[in-house]
Amino acid sequence: MLESIKEKIKDSKKIVFVTGAGISQESGIPTFRGKDGLWRNHDVMQLATIDAFYDHPKLVWEWYNERRRNIFSSKPNLGHKAIAELEKFVKVVVLTQNIDGLHQRAGSKEVLELHGSIVTIRCTNCDFKGQILTEFTEIPPLCKCGNILRPNVVWFGEFLPQDVWQQAIIHASRCDLMIVVGTSLVVSPANTLPIYAKENNATIIEINPENTMMSSYMDFSIKSTSVKALPELISIFRD
Ligand code: BJW
Ligand code: ZN
């Protein structure tokens, strides 16, 4: 890693991470776009919509059931663990688009889930909401009130949980270093977070093996996977 990046990182007081599917790719969880963007010949972007859920609840639930099974048997990787360990040295906040809970399982204390959680299930009609780790044998699963249950995630066309989003903007606006890891930055409003950081004159670093929509906007782009690049951050603070 360049000495100039190392200095910026070591001098920072508050690091905000913005993470996406790429950080969990090395835990065996597929990303959304590119070659991973198909499930049983369905474009996953078409499945992740509220319309798809109401039109084809069984199909969408089969997709979530399979993903829940995979996620529950996956483990945080060295990238998630490095972010959690950084808390020993500097204030860290994680703003994640991921719904897999792997940052929390790696030990990160302050994680804001912008797109909800696949662990939590809620009713489409009543106030029921709860963490359910067991597999649903009957799909779509039904609530005690008789209506369909859904994963507590944010689909296209739905608003992000407003309290979480407001907090995310505040953190992005008040950091001096933002590290954007494993996201294509094509989905709004999460892809506006680097803009809030830049307005505060924060340094922005991207970690991604590929170019993204905003690579040219970054102060530094590290073309690497998160498992390779993130553990290096710890060594900067240790040295
Ligand atoms: C690695 C790596 C390694 C690989 N290491 N890196 C027109 C009509 C209607 C709406 C819109 C519209 N135009 C715009 C909108 C808004 C819409 C949007 O942004 N659409 C765009 C696609 C055009 N956004 C919304 O609808 C949002 N809500 C909203 O805006 O509310 C206001 C509103 C309301 C009503 C109408 C209009 C506006 C909600 C967005 C919700 C997104 N939900 C999903 C599903 C969540 C649940 C689930 O997981 O099942 O969130 S979609 C999916 O995309 C998921 C992700 O969080 C999100 C972002 O994807 P991410 O994480 O960036 O993954 P990838 O696959 O894209 O990228 C992976 C990256 O990793 C790549 O760059 C790789 O190179 C890299 N990588 N291996 C490091 N080892
Ligand atoms: Zn209910």
Side-chain angles (χ1 to χ4, degrees), residues 19-23 25-26 31-33 45 48 63-64 67 97-99 115 153-160 181-189 207-212 224-227:
T19 66
I23 194 168
Q25 190 265 342
E26 287 159 290
T31 59
F32 289 91
R33 294 171 181 84
M45 290 305 102
W63 182 47
Y64 277 95
R67 290 172 66 207
Q97 296 168 81
N98 298 346
I99 44 100
H115 294 164
V153 298
V154 182
W155 284 316
F156 284 118
E158 295 188 307
F159 288 99
L160 275 58
V181 190
T183 170
S184 58
L185 291 171
V186 298
V187 174
S188 63
I207 298 175
N208 197 313
E210 307 288 337
N211 268 325
T212 69
S224 178
T225 75
S226 42
V227 159

Coordinates of all heavy atoms in Angstrom, one line a residue, residues 19-23 25-26 31-33 45 48 63-64 67 97-99 115 153-160 181-189 207-212 224-227, ligand 1:
T19 N -20.1 -0.7 3.0 CA -19.8 -2.0 2.5 C -21.0 -2.5 1.6 O -22.1 -2.1 1.8 CB -19.4 -3.0 3.6 OG1 -20.6 -3.3 4.4 CG2 -18.3 -2.5 4.4
G20 N -20.6 -3.4 0.7 CA -21.6 -4.0 -0.2 C -21.3 -5.5 -0.3 O -20.4 -6.1 0.4
A21 N -22.0 -6.1 -1.2 CA -22.0 -7.6 -1.4 C -20.6 -8.2 -1.5 O -20.3 -9.3 -1.1 CB -22.8 -8.0 -2.5
G22 N -19.7 -7.4 -2.2 CA -18.3 -7.9 -2.4 C -17.5 -8.3 -1.2 O -16.7 -9.2 -1.2
I23 N -17.8 -7.6 -0.1 CA -17.1 -8.0 1.2 C -17.4 -9.4 1.7 O -16.6 -10.0 2.3 CB -17.2 -6.9 2.3 CG1 -16.1 -7.1 3.3 CG2 -18.6 -6.9 2.9 CD1 -16.0 -6.0 4.4
Q25 N -18.3 -11.8 -0.5 CA -18.1 -12.7 -1.6 C -17.1 -13.8 -1.2 O -17.3 -15.0 -1.5 CB -17.6 -12.0 -2.8 CG -17.6 -12.7 -4.1 CD -16.2 -13.3 -4.4 OE1 -15.2 -12.9 -3.8 NE2 -16.2 -14.3 -5.3
E26 N -16.1 -13.4 -0.4 CA -15.1 -14.4 0.0 C -15.5 -15.3 1.2 O -14.8 -16.1 1.7 CB -13.7 -13.7 0.2 CG -13.1 -13.3 -1.1 CD -12.1 -12.2 -0.9 OE1 -12.4 -11.1 -0.6 OE2 -10.8 -12.5 -1.1
T31 N -22.5 -12.1 -5.0 CA -22.9 -10.7 -5.2 C -24.1 -10.6 -6.1 O -24.7 -11.6 -6.4 CB -21.7 -9.9 -5.8 OG1 -21.5 -10.5 -7.1 CG2 -20.5 -10.0 -5.0
F32 N -24.6 -9.4 -6.4 CA -25.8 -9.2 -7.1 C -25.6 -9.1 -8.6 O -26.5 -9.5 -9.4 CB -26.6 -8.0 -6.6 CG -27.1 -8.2 -5.2 CD1 -26.4 -7.9 -4.1 CD2 -28.4 -8.8 -5.1 CE1 -26.9 -8.1 -2.9 CE2 -28.9 -9.1 -3.8 CZ -28.1 -8.7 -2.7
R33 N -24.6 -8.4 -9.0 CA -24.4 -8.1 -10.4 C -23.3 -8.9 -11.0 O -22.7 -9.7 -10.3 CB -24.2 -6.6 -10.6 CG -25.5 -5.9 -10.1 CD -25.5 -4.4 -10.0 NE -26.8 -4.0 -9.5 CZ -27.1 -3.9 -8.2 NH1 -26.3 -4.3 -7.3 NH2 -28.4 -3.6 -7.9
M45 N -32.2 -8.9 -9.7 CA -32.7 -7.5 -9.6 C -34.2 -7.5 -9.8 O -34.9 -6.6 -9.3 CB -32.0 -6.6 -10.6 CG -30.6 -6.3 -10.3 SD -30.4 -5.7 -8.6 CE -29.8 -7.1 -7.7
A48 N -35.7 -8.9 -6.4 CA -35.6 -8.0 -5.2 C -36.5 -6.8 -5.3 O -36.1 -5.7 -5.0 CB -34.1 -7.6 -5.0
W63 N -36.1 -18.2 -3.1 CA -34.8 -17.5 -3.2 C -34.3 -17.1 -1.8 O -33.1 -17.4 -1.5 CB -35.0 -16.3 -4.1 CG -33.7 -15.5 -4.4 CD1 -32.5 -16.0 -4.8 CD2 -33.6 -14.1 -4.3 NE1 -31.6 -14.9 -5.0 CE2 -32.3 -13.7 -4.7 CE3 -34.5 -13.0 -4.0 CZ2 -31.8 -12.4 -4.8 CZ3 -34.0 -11.7 -4.1 CH2 -32.7 -11.4 -4.4
Y64 N -35.1 -16.5 -1.0 CA -34.7 -16.1 0.3 C -34.4 -17.3 1.2 O -33.4 -17.3 2.0 CB -35.7 -15.2 1.0 CG -35.5 -13.8 0.5 CD1 -36.2 -13.3 -0.6 CD2 -34.5 -13.0 1.1 CE1 -35.9 -12.0 -1.1 CE2 -34.2 -11.7 0.6 CZ -34.9 -11.2 -0.5 OH -34.6 -10.0 -1.0
R67 N -31.0 -18.5 0.3 CA -29.9 -17.5 0.7 C -29.8 -17.5 2.2 O -28.7 -17.4 2.8 CB -30.3 -16.1 0.2 CG -30.1 -16.0 -1.3 CD -30.7 -14.7 -1.8 NE -29.9 -13.6 -1.3 CZ -30.3 -12.3 -1.1 NH1 -31.6 -12.0 -1.4 NH2 -29.5 -11.3 -0.7
Q97 N -24.8 -2.2 3.1 CA -25.9 -2.5 2.3 C -26.3 -4.0 2.5 O -27.3 -4.4 2.0 CB -25.7 -2.2 0.8 CG -25.4 -0.7 0.6 CD -24.9 -0.5 -0.8 OE1 -25.6 -0.5 -1.8 NE2 -23.6 -0.4 -1.0
N98 N -25.4 -4.7 3.1 CA -25.6 -6.2 3.2 C -26.7 -6.5 4.3 O -26.8 -5.9 5.3 CB -24.3 -6.9 3.5 CG -23.3 -6.7 2.4 OD1 -23.7 -6.2 1.4 ND2 -22.0 -6.9 2.7
I99 N -27.3 -7.6 4.0 CA -28.4 -8.1 5.0 C -28.0 -9.3 5.7 O -28.8 -10.0 6.4 CB -29.7 -8.3 4.2 CG1 -29.4 -9.1 2.8 CG2 -30.3 -7.0 3.7 CD1 -29.7 -10.5 2.9
H115 N -30.1 -1.7 4.2 CA -31.2 -2.5 3.5 C -31.8 -3.6 4.3 O -32.3 -4.6 3.8 CB -30.5 -3.1 2.2 CG -30.1 -2.0 1.2 ND1 -29.3 -2.3 0.1 CD2 -30.5 -0.7 1.1 CE1 -29.1 -1.2 -0.6 NE2 -29.8 -0.2 0.0
V153 N -36.2 -6.9 4.7 CA -35.2 -6.2 3.8 C -35.8 -5.1 3.1 O -37.0 -5.0 3.0 CB -34.5 -7.3 2.9 CG1 -33.8 -8.4 3.6 CG2 -35.6 -7.9 1.9
V154 N -35.0 -4.3 2.4 CA -35.5 -3.2 1.6 C -35.4 -3.6 0.1 O -34.3 -3.8 -0.4 CB -34.7 -1.9 1.9 CG1 -35.3 -0.7 1.1 CG2 -34.7 -1.6 3.4
W155 N -36.5 -3.6 -0.5 CA -36.6 -4.0 -1.9 C -36.6 -2.7 -2.8 O -36.9 -1.6 -2.3 CB -37.8 -4.8 -2.2 CG -37.7 -6.3 -1.8 CD1 -36.6 -7.1 -2.0 CD2 -38.6 -7.1 -1.1 NE1 -36.8 -8.3 -1.5 CE2 -38.1 -8.3 -0.9 CE3 -39.9 -6.8 -0.7 CZ2 -38.8 -9.4 -0.3 CZ3 -40.6 -7.9 -0.1 CH2 -40.0 -9.1 0.1
F156 N -36.3 -2.8 -4.1 CA -36.4 -1.7 -5.0 C -37.8 -1.1 -4.9 O -38.8 -1.8 -4.8 CB -36.1 -2.1 -6.4 CG -34.6 -2.3 -6.6 CD1 -34.1 -3.5 -7.0 CD2 -33.7 -1.3 -6.4 CE1 -32.8 -3.8 -7.2 CE2 -32.3 -1.5 -6.6 CZ -31.9 -2.7 -7.0
G157 N -37.8 0.3 -4.9 CA -39.1 1.0 -4.8 C -39.5 1.2 -3.4 O -40.5 1.8 -3.1
E158 N -38.8 0.6 -2.4 CA -39.2 0.8 -1.0 C -38.2 1.8 -0.4 O -37.0 1.9 -0.8 CB -39.1 -0.5 -0.2 CG -40.1 -1.5 -0.6 CD -40.2 -2.7 0.3 OE1 -39.1 -3.3 0.5 OE2 -41.3 -3.1 0.7
F159 N -38.7 2.5 0.7 CA -37.8 3.5 1.3 C -36.9 2.8 2.3 O -37.3 1.8 2.9 CB -38.6 4.5 2.1 CG -39.3 5.5 1.1 CD1 -40.6 5.4 0.8 CD2 -38.5 6.6 0.6 CE1 -41.2 6.3 -0.1 CE2 -39.1 7.5 -0.3 CZ -40.4 7.3 -0.7
L160 N -35.7 3.3 2.5 CA -34.8 2.8 3.5 C -35.4 3.1 4.9 O -36.1 4.2 5.0 CB -33.4 3.4 3.4 CG -32.5 2.7 2.4 CD1 -33.0 2.6 1.0 CD2 -31.1 3.4 2.4
V181 N -16.1 -0.5 0.4 CA -15.6 -1.8 0.1 C -16.7 -2.7 -0.6 O -17.8 -2.8 0.0 CB -15.2 -2.5 1.4 CG1 -14.4 -3.8 1.1 CG2 -14.3 -1.7 2.3
G182 N -16.3 -3.2 -1.7 CA -17.1 -4.3 -2.3 C -18.5 -3.9 -2.7 O -19.5 -4.7 -2.6
T183 N -18.7 -2.7 -3.2 CA -20.0 -2.3 -3.7 C -19.8 -1.6 -5.1 O -18.9 -0.9 -5.3 CB -20.8 -1.3 -2.8 OG1 -21.9 -0.8 -3.4 CG2 -19.9 -0.2 -2.2
S184 N -20.8 -1.9 -6.0 CA -20.8 -1.4 -7.3 C -21.2 0.1 -7.3 O -21.1 0.8 -8.3 CB -21.7 -2.2 -8.3 OG -23.0 -2.2 -7.8
L185 N -21.8 0.5 -6.2 CA -22.3 1.9 -6.0 C -23.4 2.3 -7.1 O -23.4 3.4 -7.5 CB -21.2 2.9 -6.0 CG -20.3 2.8 -4.7 CD1 -19.0 3.7 -4.9 CD2 -21.0 3.2 -3.5
V186 N -24.1 1.3 -7.6 CA -25.2 1.6 -8.6 C -26.5 1.9 -7.9 O -27.4 2.4 -8.5 CB -25.3 0.5 -9.7 CG1 -24.0 0.4 -10.5 CG2 -25.8 -0.8 -9.1
V187 N -26.6 1.5 -6.6 CA -28.0 1.6 -6.0 C -28.0 2.8 -5.1 O -27.2 3.0 -4.2 CB -28.3 0.3 -5.2 CG1 -29.5 0.4 -4.4 CG2 -28.4 -0.9 -6.1
S188 N -29.1 3.6 -5.4 CA -29.3 4.8 -4.5 C -30.3 4.5 -3.4 O -31.0 3.5 -3.6 CB -29.8 5.9 -5.4 OG -31.0 5.6 -5.9
P189 N -30.3 5.2 -2.3 CA -29.5 6.3 -2.0 C -28.1 6.0 -1.4 O -27.3 6.9 -1.1 CB -30.3 7.1 -1.0 CG -31.1 6.0 -0.3 CD -31.3 4.9 -1.3
I207 N -12.0 0.0 -2.0 CA -11.4 -1.3 -2.2 C -12.3 -2.2 -3.0 O -13.4 -2.5 -2.6 CB -11.1 -2.0 -0.8 CG1 -10.2 -1.1 0.1 CG2 -10.6 -3.4 -0.9 CD1 -10.0 -1.6 1.5
N208 N -11.8 -2.6 -4.2 CA -12.7 -3.3 -5.1 C -11.8 -3.8 -6.2 O -11.0 -3.1 -6.8 CB -13.8 -2.4 -5.7 CG -14.9 -3.1 -6.3 OD1 -14.7 -4.1 -7.1 ND2 -16.1 -2.8 -6.0
P209 N -11.9 -5.1 -6.6 CA -11.0 -5.6 -7.7 C -11.4 -5.0 -9.1 O -10.6 -5.0 -10.0 CB -11.2 -7.1 -7.7 CG -12.5 -7.3 -6.9 CD -12.7 -6.2 -6.0
E210 N -12.6 -4.4 -9.1 CA -13.1 -3.8 -10.4 C -13.3 -2.3 -10.3 O -13.5 -1.8 -9.1 CB -14.5 -4.4 -10.8 CG -14.5 -5.9 -10.8 CD -13.8 -6.5 -12.0 OE1 -13.6 -5.8 -13.0 OE2 -13.4 -7.7 -11.9
N211 N -13.4 -1.6 -11.4 CA -13.8 -0.2 -11.4 C -15.2 -0.1 -11.1 O -16.0 -1.0 -11.4 CB -13.5 0.4 -12.7 CG -12.2 1.1 -12.8 OD1 -11.7 1.6 -11.8 ND2 -11.5 1.0 -13.9
T212 N -15.7 0.9 -10.4 CA -17.1 1.2 -10.1 C -17.5 2.5 -10.7 O -16.7 3.2 -11.3 CB -17.4 1.2 -8.6 OG1 -16.8 2.4 -8.1 CG2 -16.8 0.0 -7.9
S224 N -8.2 -4.5 -5.3 CA -7.9 -5.8 -4.6 C -9.1 -6.3 -4.0 O -10.1 -5.6 -3.9 CB -6.8 -5.5 -3.6 OG -6.5 -6.7 -2.9
T225 N -9.1 -7.6 -3.5 CA -10.3 -8.1 -2.8 C -10.2 -7.6 -1.3 O -9.1 -7.3 -0.8 CB -10.4 -9.6 -2.9 OG1 -9.4 -10.2 -2.0 CG2 -10.2 -10.1 -4.3
S226 N -11.3 -7.7 -0.7 CA -11.3 -7.2 0.7 C -10.5 -8.1 1.7 O -9.9 -7.6 2.6 CB -12.8 -7.1 1.2 OG -13.6 -8.1 0.8
V227 N -10.5 -9.4 1.4 CA -9.7 -10.3 2.3 C -8.2 -10.0 2.2 O -7.5 -10.1 3.1 CB -10.1 -11.7 1.9 CG1 -9.0 -12.7 2.4 CG2 -11.4 -12.1 2.6
Ligands
BJW1 C1 -15.5 -7.4 -4.4 C2 -15.1 -8.7 -4.2 C3 -14.2 -9.0 -3.2 C4 -16.6 -8.7 -5.8 N1 -13.7 -8.0 -2.5 N2 -15.0 -6.4 -3.7 C5 -36.4 3.8 -11.2 C6 -37.5 3.2 -10.7 C7 -37.6 2.9 -9.3 C8 -36.6 3.2 -8.4 C9 -35.5 3.8 -8.9 C10 -35.3 4.1 -10.3 N3 -34.1 4.7 -10.5 C11 -33.5 4.7 -9.3 C12 -34.3 4.1 -8.4 C13 -33.9 4.0 -7.0 C14 -33.4 2.5 -6.7 C15 -32.1 2.3 -7.4 O1 -31.1 2.7 -7.0 N4 -32.2 1.6 -8.6 C16 -30.9 1.5 -9.4 C17 -30.6 0.0 -9.6 C18 -31.2 2.1 -10.7 N5 -33.3 2.4 -5.3 C19 -34.3 2.1 -4.5 O2 -35.4 1.8 -4.9 C20 -34.0 2.2 -3.0 N6 -35.1 3.0 -2.4 C21 -35.3 4.3 -2.7 O3 -34.6 4.9 -3.5 O4 -36.3 4.8 -2.0 C22 -36.9 6.0 -2.6 C23 -37.9 5.6 -3.7 C24 -39.0 5.0 -3.4 C25 -40.0 4.7 -4.4 C26 -39.6 4.9 -5.7 C27 -38.4 5.5 -6.1 C28 -37.5 5.9 -5.0 C29 -34.0 0.9 -2.3 C30 -32.9 0.0 -2.8 C31 -32.9 -1.3 -2.2 C32 -31.9 -2.3 -2.7 N7 -32.2 -3.6 -2.3 C33 -31.3 -4.7 -2.6 C34 -31.9 -6.0 -2.1 C35 -31.8 -6.1 -0.6 C36 -32.4 -7.3 0.0 C37 -31.6 -8.6 -0.4 O5 -30.3 -8.7 -0.3 O6 -32.2 -9.5 -0.8 O7 -30.0 -4.4 -2.0 S1 -30.8 -4.8 -4.3 C38 -29.1 -5.2 -4.1 O8 -28.3 -4.1 -4.5 C39 -29.0 -5.2 -2.6 C40 -27.6 -4.6 -2.4 O9 -27.5 -4.1 -1.0 C41 -27.6 -3.5 -3.4 C42 -26.3 -3.0 -3.8 O10 -25.5 -4.0 -4.4 P1 -23.9 -4.1 -4.0 O11 -23.8 -4.4 -2.6 O12 -23.2 -2.9 -4.5 O13 -23.6 -5.4 -4.9 P2 -23.1 -5.6 -6.4 O14 -23.3 -7.0 -6.7 O15 -23.8 -4.6 -7.3 O16 -21.6 -5.2 -6.4 C43 -20.6 -6.0 -5.8 C44 -19.3 -5.4 -5.9 O17 -18.3 -6.1 -5.2 C45 -18.7 -5.3 -7.4 O18 -18.3 -3.9 -7.6 C46 -17.6 -6.2 -7.4 O19 -16.5 -5.8 -8.3 C47 -17.1 -6.2 -6.0 N8 -16.4 -7.4 -5.5 N9 -15.8 -9.5 -5.2 C48 -14.1 -6.7 -2.8 N10 -13.8 -10.3 -3.0

